[in-house]
Amino acid sequence: MRPTQMSQRQQPSDAPALNVRLPGGNVLRFHSDFHIGRDPGCEVCIPDAHASRRHAQVAFTRGQWWIRDLQSSNGLFVNGERIEAAPIGEGVAVRLGGDGPVLQIGPGFRSVIPSDDAETQADEDRMVDGYAERYFGSDSDETEGLGGRTMMIRKAFKKVQDKQKRQQRWVVAIVAVLGLGAAGYALHVRSELRKRQEDARRFFYEMKAFDVEIAGIQEELARNKNVSSDRIKGLESRRNQMEQLYEEVASRAYGRRLSEREKLILRVTRRFGECEVAAPQEYLREVNRYIDRWHTTSRFEQSVKRAQENGYTRTIAAAFMARQLPPQYFYLAMQESSFIPTSVGPPTRFGFAKGMWQFIPETGQRYGLKYGPYYRDSRVDLADERLDWEKATRAAASYIKDIYATDAQASGLLVMASYNWGERRVIERLRKMPLNPRERNFWTLLAQYPEDIPPQTYNYVFSIVSAAVIGENPRLFGFQFDNPLAFTAPSR
């Protein structure tokens, strides 16, 4: 919603050299910023399952080297403590994830063994080579000068070798057969799982097309009161049956039993118009991480209480439901303003964002909200209709409905990203992607433009999704209040 500009990071010109000792012992040396992660494009590539594609960045800033977590799935630990960012100083031990690989980063690591140790090691190696040649050389080797005891040791060793080779051939054959069987079974399991996932995706987009048909009939009913509502009741009944079947199909697509928390996350994701089966594997962990973040502040409880006490809840839900949108967009206002109608955001080049839905002046005016004379300063101006929460709520519902109709293709997470970052920025990138909605969603946007999406927008989307998940069953997540949108659930 508020325009943002990403600052261009300056490469250090006078940064001291920094060494990175890899888990295998090799040492890399850097004079400029670098990335650590599983992606082959990272300067320090760690092909380990605990590492995210881009796990961390090391940069020279404010006169020293710093390491920071790039919102990795498993976290970044420096000297045993989980951190978001930390100085390198004289050197640190960095672990990728709680049980992941460890790297040593600092200015003073060396890639060679000290000379005394190297010489001692070389002497020991030469001595061992001599004994190996004397007692375990082959029969074809020179035997002149060897004693009878040495020759007996050689023959005994040769006999043991022959026996071991015969045993090894049997072991290798058995292992190969077992390995082929295990590989075949694993391929079968993966093939079945992929088939289930493909079936679930196909079912989802069929269900989404059904939603479009229902929305069209609802709009026709709104325009023509003489149209019978019996047809839409029948379609809605079939739609509910489809959703129950889809939940069963989708649950099998994960290849394991899902917890109640995971099922709820996926159900809310689907309600926002996303195919949860298409989400990357780390999606569930990421939403759970943001759910844990809500426990660190009382803002959730205080905001919901404010909305309920002031009568905002039902009006906001009704505005979105009237436009066939999920009432869970209620939590977008919570993220924007904590339901404070007179909230004033930071300044932008278009003026201050104001009100419960944080409209900038131009967008607010486009949706019928007249801004007041003080739109270019932070004063609370009651003549500014952006501060009229009821008018602003209707405007926000219309604005979000319009974003749905753009190239965002009813993808709720893309709509949230557009609201925060600006629909033009999102649409410009979407139009470079395939037209098929199965290949044009929030996950593919993140994968294709990982460096473009601002951290603020990423945080914004996951904060709203996690809040909506908590709101469906707050007590399941340890919050002591009930679902503020329970009244929107269809009666059974």
Side-chain angles (χ1 to χ4, degrees), residues 215 218-219 222 314-327 394 397-398 401:
Q218 286 172 331
E219 289 180 5
R314 289 184 177 272
T315 301
I316 292 173
F320 284 99
M321 293 172 71
R323 291 163 177 80
Q324 294 81 48
L325 295 172
R394 291 192 293 271
S398 296
K401 180 70 173 180

Side-chain angles (χ1 to χ4, degrees), residues 261-312:
R261 286 175 64 134
E262 290 174 327
K263 289 179 183 177
L264 190 52
I265 291 171
L266 298 177
R267 191 156 57 244
V268 168
T269 301
R270 182 167 68 254
R271 192 166 295 164
F272 277 122
E274 298 287 357
C275 180
E276 72 272 29
V277 177
Q281 291 183 357
E282 60 267 23
Y283 174 68
L284 287 171
R285 290 195 301 271
E286 191 70 346
V287 176
N288 271 312
R289 187 166 74 89
Y290 274 80
I291 288 171
D292 291 339
R293 281 189 177 187
W294 282 113
H295 279 283
T296 65
T297 173
S298 60
R299 186 163 76 91
F300 199 122
E301 296 98 320
Q302 291 174 352
S303 298
V304 168
K305 183 179 179 182
R306 180 180 297 116
Q308 290 175 321
E309 289 179 347
N310 289 281
Y312 303 151

